[in-house]
Amino acid sequence: MSLTASMWTGVSGLLAHGDRMNVIGNNISNVNTVGFKGQRMDFADFVYQDSFSLSGMTQIGRGVRIGAVMGEFGQGSFETTTETTDLAIGGNGFFRVEPIGSETAYYTRAGNFRFNENGYLVDPNGYCVQGWKVDNTTGPTRASGGMSTSIEDTTSSIIGSGSPTDVRLDKWTVDPLQTTKVSMMVNLSKDKGADKMRDPENPFASLLSAWNGTQPQKPNVPYISEDAYSYQTSIDVYDEAGGTHTLTVYFDQVSSEDYIGSSGKTMWEYMITMDPSEDLRQVAVPDPTAAGGYTIKDMKDTAAGGLLMSGTLTFDSAGRLENQSAYVLNGSREPQKDPVTGAFQNANGYITDRDNNPIPVLDPENIADFMYPTEVSSAGFPMLVANFTGIPGSHTVGSVPDADKYLMEIDFGLKVSDYADPWKNADSLGSLRYPTVDNPMINGTTGLQNPASTAIPPETLPVPSRGLTLGDVHDNGEGKTPRYVYENPDYKSDVAGSPPYVYADQAALNAAWQRALANARVRTGFQGTDSAKTSSYKSDADMAALVTKADWPAAAVAAGTATVDGETVNLGAITDANFGSFTYQDPDGNTIATTTGAKTPPMAEDVASIKPPAYRQPNAFTSYKGGHLTQTLSQNGYGFGNLSNYTVDSSGVLYGIYSNGVNLPLYQLTLYDFTCKQGLRREGNNLFSQTRDSGDPSSGAAGTGLFGTVNANTLEGSNVDLSTEFVRMITTQRGFQSNSKVVTTTDTMLETVINMKR
């Protein structure tokens, strides 16, 4: 090997150490550069030349070269600033910036951003930061599908939608947003509750029976008496124009006599209302005098005005909410369409107006019968419609497209898990009605079933050897309320003006039916005997005193007989130990009809409610002892406002702070990371670019997975450590000096060789 080779070996060391000093110098020069990530140079030995020795083949090294220049991506120090848009990433990740109008992407750790004259959030190069845009105008959507994959809360950490885009404040004002979700957390005191309003026929709709929203409101007469509920709470909500309206929720405990609950269960009614004078939803009210049999009215002109939702809340023995029912006008019943023309039809609880808009049918006297289980949102909450501005076709949650923008979620803390079939009861709230001992029902194949109408069509109940016919409704001529009547076939009128009817109110009529069926003949309509045929009527008091099942001795009932007017009557089969139901038979043993007195109160679990399992959120209603308390109230609507400031939270969400008092999420900055950061190309100006070696970036929200958090009013400084760089500088200088000695020493050796010739 020549001495010249030795000299070139020293030269390789000089070159390598010179480059290393350049890397060190670059690090030191960027010690104050925002977001700078330092480098280090690693050496590698150079080629080896084969040679021979006594031991055989050997190798002699020919110097050093640059092995790799490695990026150091450790965390830099933080510096606090006064600018909200100075952002630092604490942990892994890069911001992504793009030239405005271009799809060329760069990545940076330098978060010294500013809004430019066009509202873009840009870096010092004028490149725009990328993030997900947040749509604050979307309302709830109807749920679809079957069981959810999990009843746990699966809220995404990304609150924006779509692909990341330029972060830009293109509007410095915010338009009004109508309320689409109301959330509240209330404690309904376990020891302060009482059933202040009890409807014995429908104890789960007692608040409905106490409500009267008919306009104009009578002076000094509230829509519901303070004596009818135990607690109330209110919240202001917004319509689409930014106008405010008040929703009031009334609560009243259901008496423990009206349901069977295990281990200390308690039930409460609730009713969500608005000011009836502002209720511009429309309904079709039955009206025999109107064309088509209906009159279209604003809800405010009916007793149901202002009524938005009603239902029940069930609490376990520990006072935790475990179930809920939710009923609204017509519920989820959809208006039917003509399969050919697509026009809405008068069916399924709807009629149409002259513009073919579906209008729900409502009898204000029987509100509960028109309240059906509501639809649920894709988040699993029950929904109602509050149409404050009277937009046609937006009156119910039934699947009418125009109603979609008026849907409002109600969050009491329970979510359904079966989106396709969420409710146990598919019938109306009125279906929970049940009779009591004071107002028995007669159930027969054609018998009287709790009459509620003032017009009973003629109907015949077959009885051996005689017939009992329900007649029309008549007035007794004394100006009293029209009565229900039945025609006595044994006393058909053969003299003009001789009344062939018995007049009775509902309770008395039920009693009369019981006596008539038990005797299998009619002798209750007139005073005197069969032969007297007097035309004088019994008084209401006398009618009410007619025999009922409660009048019969227990021993007689147990024996299956009763004595009526001195005659023994067979009662037939007794099907309830509490005499809740039994059958009447005539003296010949023929079954006439089956009667039912008071039904056994339903199980709390059987009252219309969420099908289990229901997901209870941490902020759900409670029923603890200590007093009623509204703990939280919130809604997502707002009025018009001007942008007054902005801020960025740790998850990278840019919030606008407006003069109307709301903070709205506008964008969520997207973070990116690479499997091989060493493969990134340094472009200068604090920018990196993707290469084949770096691989494709992964994206996500700050604070999730392996991504770091975003810190506002903060800049990440250079991660260069001067002490480390100075040590490297010293070792590099010593290495360079030593390699220079190799060159000079080799030169001396060559000089000696040359001198040998002299």
Side-chain angles (χ1 to χ4, degrees):
M1 180 186 296
S2 68
L3 289 174
T4 305
S6 299
M7 183 174 288
W8 285 111
T9 299
V11 169
S12 71
L14 291 174
L15 294 174
H17 282 80
D19 287 336
R20 189 184 192 204
M21 186 61 72
N22 192 33
V23 171
I24 294 171
N26 184 62
N27 287 344
I28 294 175
S29 64
N30 284 285
V31 70
N32 289 314
T33 301
V34 177
F36 178 78
K37 299 303 177 185
Q39 293 175 292
R40 77 170 194 271
M41 180 181 286
D42 295 336
F43 292 152
D45 49 358
F46 203 28
V47 298
Y48 286 82
Q49 182 175 348
D50 292 337
S51 183
F52 294 95
S53 68
L54 291 176
S55 60
M57 183 68 69
T58 187
Q59 292 179 302
I60 298 175
R62 294 296 302 274
V64 66
R65 64 180 174 181
I66 300 172
V69 179
M70 307 293 291
E72 296 184 322
F73 289 90
Q75 182 73 54
S77 59
F78 285 159
E79 174 187 350
T80 302
T81 73
T82 59
E83 291 294 329
T84 300
T85 53
D86 283 338
L87 306 176
I89 300 174
N92 295 328
F94 294 85
F95 298 111
R96 177 169 171 165
V97 294
E98 296 180 1
I100 297 174
S102 171
E103 294 185 358
T104 303
Y106 298 100
Y107 303 89
T108 183
R109 294 279 296 194
N112 48 340
F113 304 132
R114 296 292 184 272
F115 285 107
N116 69 8
E117 68 278 9
N118 296 316
Y120 290 98
L121 184 64
V122 298
D123 70 355
N125 304 300
Y127 298 166
C128 189
V129 184
Q130 303 297 294
W132 292 287
K133 188 171 185 178
V134 180
D135 186 357
N136 294 297
T137 63
T138 58
T141 56
R142 293 183 175 89
S144 61
M147 294 291 291
S148 62
T149 56
S150 171
I151 61 174
E152 298 297 327
D153 203 344
T154 56
T155 303
S156 172
S157 58
I158 300 174
I159 67 172
S161 60
S163 300
T165 186
D166 293 344
V167 175
R168 183 187 185 190
L169 294 181
D170 53 354
K171 287 186 63 176
W172 300 93
T173 60
V174 61
D175 295 330
L177 178 72
Q178 67 183 38
T179 300
T180 59
K181 182 174 183 179
V182 172
S183 301
M184 61 182 66
M185 183 178 180
V186 175
N187 182 67
L188 300 172
S189 179
K190 197 178 187 70
D191 55 340
K192 301 294 184 181
D195 193 353
K196 301 184 70 173
M197 179 62 191
R198 186 185 181 198
D199 183 345
E201 289 191 14
N202 198 337
F204 308 106
S206 299
L207 288 175
L208 292 183
S209 62
W211 177 263
N212 186 352
T214 305
Q215 297 297 307
Q217 183 183 10
K218 295 181 180 179
N220 302 318
V221 177
Y223 298 119
I224 185 171
S225 170
E226 293 183 3
D227 298 331
Y229 57 89
S230 297
Y231 186 61
Q232 74 170 65
T233 189
S234 298
I235 184 172
D236 286 340
V237 297
Y238 293 83
D239 60 29
E240 64 268 33
T244 58
H245 307 267
T246 300
L247 293 189
T248 302
V249 188
Y250 298 94
F251 302 94
D252 191 40
Q253 191 167 1
V254 179
S255 171
S256 59
E257 299 178 14
D258 293 320
Y259 64 92
I260 299 175
S262 58
S263 304
K265 286 186 188 296
T266 55
M267 293 187 68
W268 288 72
E269 291 179 78
Y270 71 89
M271 182 173 64
I272 302 176
T273 66
M274 61 181 286
D275 185 338
S277 65
E278 300 174 348
D279 192 351
L280 299 182
R281 295 175 297 164
Q282 289 188 325
V283 290
V285 177
D287 183 0
T289 65
Y294 295 97
T295 298
I296 296 178
K297 296 183 177 181
D298 288 338
M299 282 280 281
K300 64 184 180 65
D301 297 326
T302 72
L307 180 60
L308 299 175
M309 179 182 284
S310 185
T312 59
L313 302 172
T314 305
F315 298 90
D316 63 18
S317 59
R320 295 170 301 193
L321 181 64
E322 67 174 16
N323 227 318
Q324 174 186 1
S325 63
Y327 296 84
V328 297
L329 175 60
N330 256 357
S332 58
R333 297 197 300 178
E334 300 181 13
Q336 296 180 3
K337 290 186 176 182
D338 186 286
V340 177
T341 65
F344 289 111
Q345 297 178 311
N346 293 354
N348 203 25
Y350 292 88
I351 69 165
T352 55
D353 62 13
R354 63 182 182 181
D355 297 321
N356 198 40
N357 292 310
I359 305 293
V361 176
L362 174 67
D363 181 356
E365 302 301 321
N366 297 283
I367 301 175
D369 291 328
F370 294 88
M371 302 284 285
Y372 283 81
T374 186
E375 291 195 42
V376 296
S377 69
S378 56
F381 296 113
M383 298 187 295
L384 57 80
V385 164
N387 184 352
F388 299 109
T389 52
I391 301 299
S394 302
H395 315 300
T396 75
V397 300
S399 297
V400 182
D402 288 343
D404 287 355
K405 54 183 173 289
Y406 297 99
L407 294 174
M408 185 185 298
E409 289 178 314
I410 302 298
D411 177 8
F412 285 171
L414 283 188
K415 298 171 62 175
V416 306
S417 56
D418 188 344
Y419 293 138
D421 192 16
W423 306 109
K424 294 177 69 174
N425 182 31
D427 210 340
S428 70
L429 179 56
S431 70
L432 299 180
R433 180 185 290 113
Y434 65 93
T436 64
V437 172
D438 296 329
N439 186 20
M441 296 166 60
I442 293 181
N443 295 322
T445 54
T446 56
L448 188 62
Q449 174 77 23
N450 195 23
S453 171
T454 57
I456 303 176
E459 189 173 323
T460 300
L461 177 67
V463 177
S465 72
R466 53 181 60 84
L468 300 177
T469 304
L470 293 177
D472 297 324
V473 175
H474 292 261
D475 191 318
N476 62 7
E478 299 176 2
K480 295 183 178 180
T481 302
R483 309 293 193 184
Y484 298 101
V485 301
Y486 66 85
E487 184 179 0
N488 179 357
D490 293 336
Y491 293 92
K492 291 188 176 180
S493 175
D494 55 0
V495 178
S498 178
Y501 301 103
V502 172
Y503 292 77
D505 60 22
Q506 181 176 327
L509 179 61
N510 285 333
W513 269 102
Q514 289 192 30
R515 180 179 176 90
L517 292 174
N519 281 304
R521 56 184 180 175
V522 180
R523 55 165 71 181
T524 61
F526 299 91
Q527 293 178 345
T529 63
D530 288 353
S531 58
K533 295 187 178 183
T534 177
S535 61
S536 61
Y537 297 100
K538 282 184 177 292
S539 67
D540 285 350
D542 291 335
M543 292 295 291
L546 292 174
V547 65
T548 67
K549 78 179 183 65
D551 297 325
W552 295 335
V557 175
T561 61
T563 301
V564 180
D565 289 347
E567 295 186 10
T568 298
V569 178
N570 297 318
L571 297 181
I574 299 176
T575 57
D576 191 308
N578 297 319
F579 318 136
S581 64
F582 48 88
T583 58
Y584 283 110
Q585 294 179 339
D586 65 11
D588 300 325
N590 299 308
T591 297
I592 301 173
T594 300
T595 68
T596 301
K599 286 185 178 178
T600 301
M603 294 291 294
E605 292 82 357
D606 293 334
V607 176
S609 56
I610 295 175
K611 287 187 174 181
Y615 172 56
R616 182 180 184 272
Q617 300 186 114
N619 60 338
F621 273 43
T622 57
S623 184
Y624 300 144
K625 293 183 177 181
H628 305 305
L629 175 65
T630 299
Q631 302 180 62
T632 60
L633 283 173
S634 64
Q635 58 85 39
N636 64 346
Y638 47 82
F640 176 82
N642 294 307
L643 182 67
S644 58
N645 206 343
Y646 42 79
T647 185
V648 180
D649 69 7
S650 61
S651 60
V653 178
L654 172 65
Y655 287 89
I657 303 174
Y658 293 88
S659 59
N660 57 8
V662 301
N663 296 349
L664 294 181
L666 304 177
Y667 288 89
Q668 184 173 22
L669 303 185
T670 310
L671 295 190
Y672 295 83
D673 203 5
F674 295 85
T675 304
C676 180
K677 298 183 182 68
Q678 303 297 335
L680 290 172
R681 177 180 174 83
R682 293 174 184 255
E683 300 287 353
N685 295 322
N686 295 332
L687 302 177
F688 297 87
S689 63
Q690 175 186 348
T691 68
R692 180 176 295 180
D693 292 335
S694 68
D696 293 328
S698 59
S699 62
T704 63
L706 299 178
F707 290 104
T709 57
V710 173
N711 302 276
N713 298 97
T714 306
L715 289 177
E716 181 185 8
S718 170
N719 69 346
V720 172
D721 178 43
L722 283 178
S723 60
T724 300
E725 297 305 318
F726 285 156
V727 170
R728 289 175 178 172
M729 183 186 297
I730 292 171
T731 58
T732 301
Q733 188 270 337
R734 291 302 184 189
F736 187 91
Q737 186 178 31
S738 299
N739 279 277
S740 69
K741 289 298 183 181
V742 172
V743 174
T744 57
T745 301
T746 302
D747 179 60
T748 302
M749 292 173 67
L750 284 172
E751 184 178 358
T752 300
V753 171
I754 292 172
N755 288 336
M756 287 175 62
K757 185 179 180 181
R758 296 175 184 175

